[in-house]
Amino acid sequence: MTGTWGVTAGIIGAAALLGSGLFAARATRAAARTTAEATRAQAQAAAESAQRAADLASFREIRDEMKAKIEKQDARIDQLGSLVLAYSVTVDRLIHRMRHRGTTPDPTDIRDQVREHMRTR
């Protein structure tokens, strides 16, 4: 019976070796998949971080451009406001001189907006 047991043990050993080889191969493939997924996730996280940084840089550039444009417009509005005030004072003085000399402006010469402004001063 020793010979039969030896053959049986050899067959069992070969089957065990084959089974462990399949298990190792399966484990290796699973490990490779896990590593690939981890690498992909890491690359995606790095890409998202880089994209966020690029988005932030773009936002800051747009913000700075808009800020400069708004400051320029504010200065222009202030200049125009001063100009309108200067015209208003000038027209008021001219109308006062005309009335002082007995000349009155034709009502159609003065626009409603100007007339309203002159009433509120």
Side-chain angles (χ1 to χ4, degrees):
M1 284 225 255
T2 307
T4 305
W5 284 109
V7 172
T8 304
I11 292 172
I12 292 173
L17 185 60
L18 180 64
S20 68
L22 290 174
F23 178 77
R26 197 176 300 149
T28 302
R29 279 194 304 265
R33 263 194 311 261
T34 303
T35 302
E37 288 175 14
T39 303
R40 184 185 52 76
Q42 184 180 16
Q44 184 178 1
E48 287 174 358
S49 179
Q51 183 62 46
R52 274 192 232 113
D55 290 347
L56 181 60
S58 295
F59 171 77
R60 285 183 176 154
E61 183 179 337
I62 291 167
R63 180 199 61 196
D64 292 345
E65 287 175 9
M66 292 302 297
K67 185 177 180 183
K69 189 174 183 178
I70 289 169
E71 288 172 354
K72 187 176 178 182
Q73 287 176 346
D74 284 348
R76 178 96 171 121
I77 289 169
D78 289 344
Q79 289 172 346
L80 289 173
S82 295
L83 181 63
V84 168
L85 182 60
Y87 271 104
S88 176
V89 169
T90 301
V91 169
D92 190 46
R93 286 180 182 169
L94 291 173
I95 289 173
H96 179 71
R97 284 186 187 170
M98 288 173 65
R99 285 185 179 148
H100 182 68
R101 292 184 181 167
T103 307
T104 58
D106 186 271
T108 61
D109 290 342
I110 302 173
R111 292 188 169 211
D112 292 337
Q113 269 185 307
V114 174
R115 192 172 285 121
E116 181 65 29
H117 174 75
M118 292 172 80
R119 268 190 236 126
T120 59
R121 279 190 55 206

